[in-house]
Amino acid sequence: MSKRDRRHRQSSRQIVQGDQEGAWLPRDTAGILLVSGDPFLQEEAKRIVAAAGGTLRTAMDVTEAVHGWDNADVVLVGSDIRELPPRRRAPSVLLGRASEGDGLWRLAAALGAERVAVLPEAAAWLAEHLSMSGSPEPGGTVMGIIGGSGGAGATTTAIWLAQAAAGHGISTLLIDGDRWGGGLELAVTADELPGLRWPDFAETRGSIDPSQFRDSLPVAGGFAYLSWPGTRESVQIPAAGAVAAVIDAGRRSFELVLVDIGRSGEGLGTLAWDCDRILLLTTAHLKSAVAAARVLNELPPIDAGLLVRGTGTTSVDAPLIAESLGLPLLGVIPEMRGVAAGTELGRLLELGRRKPISRFAGSVLELNGAAQ
């Protein structure tokens, strides 16, 4: 992966900006189109766009919006809109109300919307997002990794990719997207490192300061990571708006953000939509390949590639699996002894330094022996 040309522990209250003036400062004027006949959403959008320093044009319905759709920097669509005009790009954000619940996420998936903003709660986040849309520096790349079946090795692979990217001088963040996975940090290191975890963002409202976010995270193997705690205690779970704010802060703080999405509907419905690219991982077995096909059908319509683990003693070869799924084969993960033990003991980084793994990771990320 080449760098884009566009370019400790603290309390979460210290690094999170709520509805403060600083979170609403405009960077550059952006032309924004709102498609909605809902008076509440129109008024909220007008207030937020003004705070973000943008210019707003409102269309009551799709027919009225058609001619200016593709010329707008950002297209916002209200939850009262149920279909898009033909051959137009997907909206950037779907606007809705908290009372609409999970239906908003289903509608976003149907429309192909990149993000969801529940108003008025997500007003500060949306203002920050809109102000950044007019900026020539949109931030780093967000790459998701998801296993086509349980036990495919997505977490292990994500750790090795993060380690390889960091080793080539790319500022990298690894995000644990599976709160049911027991805590990614347990596989990264055996030490209890200081820094924020997901529950620290449970009360987040609005945007997050990028530099303070970066400095608040634990670091191992040269990369920062955000994990669910590796403990048995119950924890607070951040709301969807807080998760979106974390991803945006990561994008603005790092050149590469790797997200271990997990296979839950929760991750597929939220984190996957924030990714610029997704790596689908499967083992070289028929059952795993079939499961991967089902997962592929649930992914958002973005760039995707395939990784295959292990081909030595299996009956299905990697190119055949890639062809059947219609995905480019980006790499075959070498079989390594000691992976299970390394995961249990927090020593996966030791295995990641071995030449077969570093060559694999460098090939997938297109590192070519040096930071680009």
Side-chain angles (χ1 to χ4, degrees):
M1 184 214 69
S2 59
K3 296 181 185 178
R4 284 192 175 184
D5 294 330
R6 313 173 296 178
R7 281 230 8 88
H8 14 48
R9 187 174 179 89
Q10 304 173 35
S11 162
S12 58
R13 292 179 190 153
Q14 291 177 289
I15 71 167
V16 176
Q17 300 174 350
D19 293 348
Q20 301 173 1
E21 185 177 354
W24 297 61
L25 292 177
R27 289 175 177 80
D28 199 358
T29 300
I32 299 161
L33 170 65
L34 169 67
V35 187
S36 176
D38 186 325
F40 169 77
L41 296 179
Q42 289 177 355
E43 286 302 312
E44 284 293 301
K46 186 185 301 183
R47 176 176 69 90
I48 293 166
V49 170
T55 56
L56 179 67
R57 184 173 77 84
T58 301
M60 298 291 291
D61 54 35
V62 166
T63 301
E64 186 180 338
V66 166
H67 296 298
W69 190 289
D70 286 332
N71 294 327
D73 294 317
V74 180
V75 177
L76 309 176
V77 169
S79 57
D80 56 311
I81 303 299
R82 298 293 164 168
E83 60 182 21
L84 303 183
R87 296 183 298 280
R88 293 300 190 277
R89 76 179 197 266
S92 298
V93 184
L94 174 70
L95 308 185
R97 313 174 190 225
S99 59
E100 295 175 276
D102 292 341
L104 279 177
W105 297 102
R106 290 192 290 271
L107 179 59
L111 298 178
E114 298 173 7
R115 292 171 174 81
V116 173
V118 180
L119 299 178
E121 291 83 356
W125 170 84
L126 182 57
E128 180 75 6
H129 175 73
L130 294 177
S131 65
M132 285 194 64
S133 298
S135 169
E137 297 289 345
T141 297
V142 178
M143 183 181 294
I145 302 171
I146 184 168
S149 61
T155 298
T156 299
T157 303
I159 291 171
W160 286 341
L161 292 177
Q163 182 180 17
H168 283 78
I170 298 171
S171 61
T172 303
L173 168 64
L174 175 59
I175 292 180
D176 181 359
D178 184 8
R179 65 186 177 97
W180 304 107
L184 175 147
E185 64 183 354
L186 296 180
V188 171
T189 176
D191 300 322
E192 186 175 344
L193 301 178
L196 298 187
R197 271 66 175 175
W198 269 116
D200 294 303
F201 295 93
E203 302 301 324
T204 297
R205 298 292 183 272
S207 62
I208 301 173
D209 180 87
S211 60
Q212 292 186 15
F213 174 75
R214 182 180 60 247
D215 294 341
S216 73
L217 298 174
V219 175
F223 59 88
Y225 65 87
L226 176 62
S227 176
W228 287 97
T231 65
R232 297 173 58 183
E233 287 76 18
S234 60
V235 296
Q236 283 187 289
I237 300 170
V243 173
V246 165
I247 299 296
D248 275 355
R251 187 187 291 275
R252 288 182 284 142
S253 306
F254 296 89
E255 293 168 297
L256 174 63
V257 179
L258 289 161
V259 184
D260 180 14
I261 296 174
R263 299 181 65 252
S264 68
E266 182 180 29
L268 284 169
T270 55
L271 294 171
W273 288 87
D274 282 316
C275 295
D276 302 307
R277 192 180 199 192
I278 290 181
L279 306 180
L280 177 61
L281 174 62
T282 182
T283 63
H285 296 87
L286 180 60
K287 185 177 179 181
S288 180
V290 171
R294 293 175 179 169
V295 172
L296 181 61
N297 291 334
E298 300 299 319
L299 295 180
I302 61 175
D303 183 30
L306 182 70
L307 302 177
V308 177
R309 179 169 67 83
T311 58
T313 60
T314 56
S315 58
V316 184
D317 66 11
L320 180 59
I321 294 173
E323 182 181 359
S324 67
L325 294 176
L327 293 177
L329 178 62
L330 302 182
V332 175
I333 305 168
E335 287 290 299
M336 300 289 294
R337 288 186 176 183
V339 171
T343 301
E344 287 296 311
L345 300 174
R347 293 179 177 175
L348 283 180
L349 295 179
E350 296 178 15
L351 296 176
R353 289 193 287 268
R354 295 182 181 178
K355 286 185 179 180
I357 298 300
S358 60
R359 281 197 298 265
F360 155 77
S363 175
V364 172
L365 297 175
E366 301 177 9
L367 297 174
N368 297 327
Q372 300 179 31

